[in-house]
Amino acid sequence: MRIIRTLPELKVALKALRESHKSIGFVPTMGFLHEGHASLIKQSTARCDATVVSVFVNPTQFGPTEDLSRYPRDLERDQNLCLRLGVAILFMPEAAEVYPTGFCTSISVGPIADVLCGEFRPGHFRGVATVVAKLFNMVQPDLAFFGQKDLQQTAIIRRVVKDLNLPVDILVAPTVREADGLALSSRNSYLSATDRARALGVSRGLFAAEKAFAGGLRDADQLTALARKEMAGADEIQYCRVVDPFTLDTLGGEINRHVALCAAVVIGGTRLIDNILLTPNGENVQFISHLDV
Ligand code: PAF
């Protein structure tokens, strides 16, 4: 595995891969890798000849009062995991490499960036869309892998790829959870034991709604109310909504199509998000990459 920190080095390494006609899979991350990232890397190594992982805590996607300075980091552990999983290139640029002096161009995403998390994190998805587009241009992958836990991020990236004709296919892999249901997130490391116990209400709420849905309940408001009840131990429920998984439009009334139930809560100062997919015909949507915009 090559560890690369600069763009000229990355260019040379990628040129060699392309000249030998290797397909390139890309997993962009902010590091502090967990089993969720590992599952994306495994998807990539299974499908592509060479996998590139980036570890970059992107400053432009954090608001002024958010956790940029204390975002968890463990580069040595990240390197070991990537090595073990057969990653070809680990790209770990400094901020100045990604945003050199004078940088002033960014991607304005439109209404899907203003709903859900966008309501509470203004500017967040502009930062995500911009860095992901930049990383795509740097790596020029054939396939890029993202986790379903960040459902809004996946919808936005698919939109950006389509709207800007970026030559990359996006695959979305299912959320990886702890045995007790908690969705894996680097930010789980902020949770105290009591906060972690409270955080379980999020997945419990989503699963309660999923069970009721499987049992025939189709009313979006009743499903949401069931989920919210389990999440009541959170300090704040920022949203808990049934949405279209691609447009992110909030849906009410009778559900008769594929939807997502998405939630964001704050517990002990930590913001957590999670979601589940609900499919009326009962099919088990384990891997949603085949659903296109
Ligand atoms: O999901 C993340 O870790 C980040 O938002 C991403 C896609 C790496 C962009 O910084």
Side-chain angles (χ1 to χ4, degrees):
M1 181 177 81
R2 294 205 46 196
I3 297 176
I4 292 182
R5 292 196 164 77
T6 68
L7 286 170
E9 276 177 283
L10 181 68
K11 213 168 165 180
V12 171
L14 290 169
K15 189 164 178 265
L17 288 177
R18 271 191 216 98
E19 278 173 0
S20 47
H21 303 287
K22 301 255 194 258
S23 60
I24 297 174
F26 180 41
V27 182
T29 80
M30 297 209 300
F32 208 67
L33 304 179
H34 49 63
E35 282 307 311
H37 298 111
S39 88
L40 301 179
I41 296 171
K42 286 177 197 162
Q43 296 276 359
S44 176
T45 54
R47 287 177 160 76
C48 302
D49 299 324
T51 292
V52 179
V53 172
S54 62
V55 169
F56 178 61
V57 183
N58 173 37
T60 66
Q61 69 189 75
F62 289 79
T65 59
E66 292 184 351
D67 55 343
L68 172 61
S69 59
R70 66 184 188 110
Y71 194 82
R73 291 164 169 86
D74 190 339
L75 295 182
E76 201 180 314
R77 204 185 62 182
D78 292 348
Q79 284 176 24
N80 290 337
L81 181 81
C82 289
L83 187 64
R84 187 163 53 80
L85 294 178
V87 169
I89 297 176
L90 176 56
F91 180 47
M92 305 169 92
E94 293 294 333
E97 194 73 17
V98 179
Y99 298 112
T101 310
F103 172 86
C104 63
T105 306
S106 57
I107 295 179
S108 157
V109 180
I112 56 168
D114 298 332
V115 295
L116 303 177
C117 290
E119 286 173 37
F120 299 89
R121 304 188 70 189
H124 169 67
F125 289 114
R126 171 186 287 265
V128 170
T130 304
V131 82
V132 169
K134 280 170 72 66
L135 290 165
F136 283 172
N137 284 334
M138 293 171 192
V139 175
Q140 300 185 15
D142 299 285
L143 288 175
F145 296 81
F146 295 86
Q148 186 201 314
K149 189 179 82 69
D150 298 302
L151 185 115
Q152 185 170 16
Q153 172 169 280
T154 66
I156 287 170
I157 289 166
R158 284 180 197 273
R159 195 69 256 172
V160 168
V161 163
K162 194 171 174 100
D163 290 351
L164 301 184
N165 305 93
L166 302 182
V168 55
D169 284 328
I170 303 300
L171 294 192
V172 177
T175 303
V176 178
R177 298 179 182 280
E178 304 272 13
D180 57 12
L182 185 69
L184 294 194
S185 162
S186 304
R187 288 189 170 98
N188 290 350
S189 63
Y190 297 151
L191 296 169
S192 68
T194 16
D195 289 345
R196 193 190 176 287
R198 288 201 288 155
L200 288 179
V202 180
S203 51
R204 218 173 37 237
L206 297 176
F207 296 153
E210 185 179 45
K211 193 169 168 208
F213 187 82
L217 183 66
R218 289 287 180 272
D219 183 77
D221 301 324
Q222 287 180 34
L223 289 164
T224 306
L226 267 177
R228 280 180 177 267
K229 206 167 142 199
E230 295 294 335
M231 295 175 198
D235 298 319
E236 182 189 355
I237 301 176
Q238 292 190 332
Y239 61 78
C240 177
R241 288 180 210 152
V242 173
V243 302
D244 178 292
F246 298 106
T247 64
L248 305 179
D249 290 338
T250 296
L251 305 170
E254 184 86 355
I255 298 170
N256 48 22
R257 62 191 173 106
H258 181 79
V259 299
L261 176 59
C262 300
V265 303
V266 180
I267 294 174
T270 299
R271 190 171 182 281
L272 300 170
I273 58 171
D274 198 355
N275 67 81
I276 44 157
L277 298 170
L278 302 174
T279 43
N281 53 10
E283 98 215 24
N284 189 10
V285 182
Q286 282 297 315
F287 194 73
I288 62 170
S289 65
H290 61 285
L291 300 168
D292 211 350
V293 190

